[in-house]
Amino acid sequence: MRAEPLVPPDPMAAIRAPFLAAGAEAVDAPILQPLGLLLELAGEAVRSRLFVVQSQGEEEACLRPDFTVPIVRQHLEAGRADGRYLYEGKAFRAALGADLPDEFRQLGLERFDAPGASIIDADAEIAALAWASAAAGGRKDLALWLGDVALFGAFVDALELSEPLAARLKRVAGRPRLLAEELARAGEAVAEPAGGGRLAELLAGLPEGEAAEVLSEVWALAGVEPVGGRGPAAIAGRLIRRAEAARAPALTREQAEAIRTFLAVEDAPAAAFVRIRGMAGAAPALQAALAGWELRLEALAKAGVAESALRFATALGHAFDYYDGLTFEIRSEALGSLRPVAVGGRYDGLPARLGGPTGARAVGCMVRPWRAWAGGEA
């Protein structure tokens, strides 16, 4: 495993300073995290980048790939309605390049607000915090790239698709590969069950709890032991979604082209929003979402983020699909889009997926100090 070098004390202190000034509670998280949970949140495709470990007779675990999920779990266990948590420590993910580190330092903050709290100021605060920290590293080629998973949802609603089809598109919004597959099948007839489809169809007719019990009974009768740390409820849910996808109609070619056009928008925010408004007309939800973005941009300007540093990309997403609102990356021109200096976004739905209350507000960010420092990753 290749470890990232340490940032010297003085630039590290400068990168850390904006987070220390944010008034958050310092926390840590266990290095070992449940593999099944992370695969359920990100899909099997992410497994190849995780470092998996397993003790005899125990469920599979992995070295923590980031801090967001464990800190959400800690927040829920504390039973708080709101909270601000600061973390700093090592994360572990198989590198995309031979010369890149698998073990690296992350510095970040997760913010939780009570249900009903306004999201715009919180979004702007977190993005501005990441920007201040990244910029303190001394690089002069940074840009703040913004996106919004919820904006994609509003655009899909404006297309007036069938409810199952719209739901399926929103579900894969943060997973480029799955979304590309959905667009590629445009114009096709409803698929016939195949490759385990009969079991999926059977389970799809049952409540999820009962479906998990049926799957457990099938495993017991066949003497099958589940692998990958994923229980019957998670696997039954995935099979049910597969059956629903097979039954739901595909996009028409015209609808798919409209979505491709939307996802191709990449421009300065003001210009991007003009283009989006021209695509979907006066759909109320879309107009409201764009109005919210104008307020975010005002808040970012007040926080000191220059307009010239901003870009908006409708297709901007992250590896984990729990983001459901704002997404952002801070990129260095020298490092490129595959090695962001910082990432973050809104994930209001994640606490509920982990057993917390519905309607909670959650947003966070993470900075890679070695990438932020001008003398670091090249």
Side-chain angles (χ1 to χ4, degrees), residues 303-321:
V305 182
E307 182 179 356
S308 60
L310 300 177
R311 301 285 292 175
F312 192 92
T314 49
L316 185 66
H318 300 321
F320 292 95
D321 80 338

Side-chain angles (χ1 to χ4, degrees), residues 37-38 40-43 65-72 87 93 106 110 149 171 173-175 317-327 343-351 353-354 362-364 366:
L37 175 61
L38 294 177
E40 182 62 25
L41 293 172
D66 73 359
F67 283 77
T68 300
V69 171
I71 289 178
V72 173
Y87 63 83
R93 215 176 300 166
Q106 292 187 338
E110 309 296 333
V149 178
R171 191 162 53 239
R175 296 187 180 182
H318 300 321
F320 292 95
D321 80 338
Y322 47 69
Y323 290 97
D324 49 24
L326 162 80
T327 57
V343 300
R346 176 160 293 279
Y347 49 91
D348 290 346
L350 180 58
R353 291 173 68 179
L354 297 179
V363 62
M366 176 281 296

Side-chain angles (χ1 to χ4, degrees), residues 75-371:
H75 171 71
L76 295 177
E77 290 168 3
R80 299 179 180 178
D82 52 30
R84 298 160 69 91
Y85 306 98
L86 171 65
Y87 63 83
E88 181 178 343
K90 294 179 180 179
F92 307 84
R93 215 176 300 166
L96 294 172
D99 298 327
L100 299 177
D102 306 298
E103 174 187 317
F104 48 88
R105 183 163 296 275
Q106 292 187 338
L107 173 64
L109 187 144
E110 309 296 333
R111 170 176 170 166
F112 301 89
D113 295 301
S118 173
I119 67 174
I120 292 174
D121 288 342
D123 284 354
E125 180 205 24
I126 292 296
L129 175 62
W131 177 261
S133 174
R139 289 191 183 271
K140 304 301 182 184
D141 62 348
L142 298 180
L144 175 55
W145 287 73
L146 303 164
D148 189 352
V149 178
L151 190 64
F152 176 79
F155 181 80
V156 167
D157 288 339
L159 296 178
E160 299 182 345
L161 307 175
S162 68
E163 185 174 340
L165 179 55
R168 192 168 75 233
L169 287 169
K170 293 175 186 178
R171 191 162 53 239
V172 301
R175 296 187 180 182
R177 180 181 62 82
L178 295 180
L179 183 55
E181 289 176 1
E182 192 64 50
L183 296 175
R185 66 185 285 257
E188 294 181 1
V190 176
E192 292 295 329
R198 290 186 182 277
L199 178 59
E201 286 287 329
L202 172 64
L203 296 178
L206 303 173
E208 287 206 17
E210 190 174 340
E213 292 177 6
V214 170
L215 191 58
S216 294
E217 291 177 9
V218 172
W219 283 347
L221 289 171
V224 173
E225 291 291 333
V227 296
R230 309 181 76 176
I235 294 175
R238 188 168 293 275
L239 288 172
I240 288 170
R241 290 194 292 273
R242 179 186 299 174
E244 291 172 345
R247 288 198 303 260
L251 290 161
T252 67
R253 290 185 174 84
E254 291 77 13
Q255 291 165 343
E257 186 57 32
I259 292 173
R260 289 191 186 94
T261 302
F262 174 84
L263 293 174
V265 173
E266 186 178 296
D267 210 329
F273 299 155
V274 169
R275 291 171 62 185
I276 294 169
R277 283 192 172 96
M279 292 176 200
L286 189 63
Q287 295 297 340
L290 292 173
W293 264 104
E294 290 170 353
L295 295 176
R296 285 184 185 86
L297 295 179
E298 291 176 5
L300 284 171
K302 290 178 182 177
V305 182
E307 182 179 356
S308 60
L310 300 177
R311 301 285 292 175
F312 192 92
T314 49
L316 185 66
H318 300 321
F320 292 95
D321 80 338
Y322 47 69
Y323 290 97
D324 49 24
L326 162 80
T327 57
F328 67 85
E329 292 182 355
I330 297 173
R331 299 177 183 174
S332 159
E333 185 175 349
L335 300 181
S337 62
L338 297 180
R339 292 185 286 162
V341 172
V343 300
R346 176 160 293 279
Y347 49 91
D348 290 346
L350 180 58
R353 291 173 68 179
L354 297 179
T358 59
R361 305 297 197 190
V363 62
C365 67
M366 176 281 296
V367 174
R368 294 274 298 268
W370 180 246
R371 290 179 177 174

